[in-house]
Amino acid sequence: MDANEQAMKAIQEGELEKAAELLHTAIEENPEDPVPYINFGNVLAELGESEKALNFYQKALELNNEAAAAYYGAGNVLYNEEKYAEAITMYQQAHKAGLDDASLHYMMGLTYMHSGRLPHAMASLQRALECSPNDTDARFYYGLCLAQSEQIDEAIPHFKQVIKEDEEHADAYYNLGVASMYHDDLLSAISYFDKAIECQEDHLLAQNGKKQAEKMLEQ
């Protein structure tokens, strides 16, 4: 097992400092291999060293401009810094370089959502679900995109699937409450808002939704 492989094992075991030392050794032993630079970038990103992480991803890309994992890692760092336009560019490059998995499309979907580009977000999240049909988070955000695009009836089955997969998903209950209000089913709305509050006591949107539904019911 070489230094890079040992580092990967250390990362899996949560020993990031040890991993960093091993990756330093791996880079010294083989400075032309982009993989240890990518892994070092991942460790630095995990440690919150964003700028240093980006430098290591950049070095990996100088060695191999088709290193999809470097583009993806850089995209994640930029996403966490809320630099969404730059993150999208990196994710697109990762896709162009051959990465085509659920995690990439999920992150692209979230980034497009934060950028207000709902059609792009929907397409990416739909692709994420095609790659991984049991991805509850991707399904929730896909449903949210549909709801925000006023495709309420299309969104409802996705939110129902989410609460089937995760019975404590407060936001899914809340959105089902909103959908019920849209259909003037106030009793169901209150029931869903109650479930949201049961899962998350400080869910302000659900609390407000419930008050609004109760007020409408009294009229």
Side-chain angles (χ1 to χ4, degrees), residues 169-175 193 196-209:
H169 203 298
D171 288 338
Y173 286 115
Y174 165 72
N175 279 281
F193 291 140
I197 295 161
E198 192 182 308
C199 296
Q200 185 186 327
E201 284 181 19
D202 62 348
H203 202 298
L204 296 177
L205 290 172
Q207 290 170 9
N208 290 336

Side-chain angles (χ1 to χ4, degrees), residues 109-207:
L110 288 190
T111 311
Y112 280 128
M113 266 191 86
H114 286 298
S115 307
R117 298 165 70 181
L118 285 180
H120 287 84
M122 250 189 289
S124 294
L125 291 164
Q126 188 172 26
R127 179 68 186 129
L129 284 171
E130 286 168 6
C131 296
S132 181
N134 297 324
D135 187 333
T136 305
D137 288 336
R139 186 170 299 285
F140 171 72
Y141 285 110
Y142 181 60
L144 200 55
C145 281
L146 288 167
Q148 288 177 357
S149 303
E150 296 185 7
Q151 299 178 55
I152 308 295
D153 290 340
E154 290 82 354
I156 289 169
H158 290 286
F159 291 135
K160 286 186 174 177
Q161 182 64 28
V162 168
I163 59 172
K164 194 175 173 184
E165 292 171 9
D166 178 4
E167 293 177 3
E168 299 296 310
H169 203 298
D171 288 338
Y173 286 115
Y174 165 72
N175 279 281
L176 283 166
V178 173
S180 297
M181 284 185 75
Y182 176 82
H183 285 298
D184 294 322
D185 184 356
L186 299 174
L187 290 174
S188 292
I190 291 165
S191 175
Y192 281 127
F193 291 140
D194 277 337
K195 283 295 292 182
I197 295 161
E198 192 182 308
C199 296
Q200 185 186 327
E201 284 181 19
D202 62 348
H203 202 298
L204 296 177
L205 290 172
Q207 290 170 9

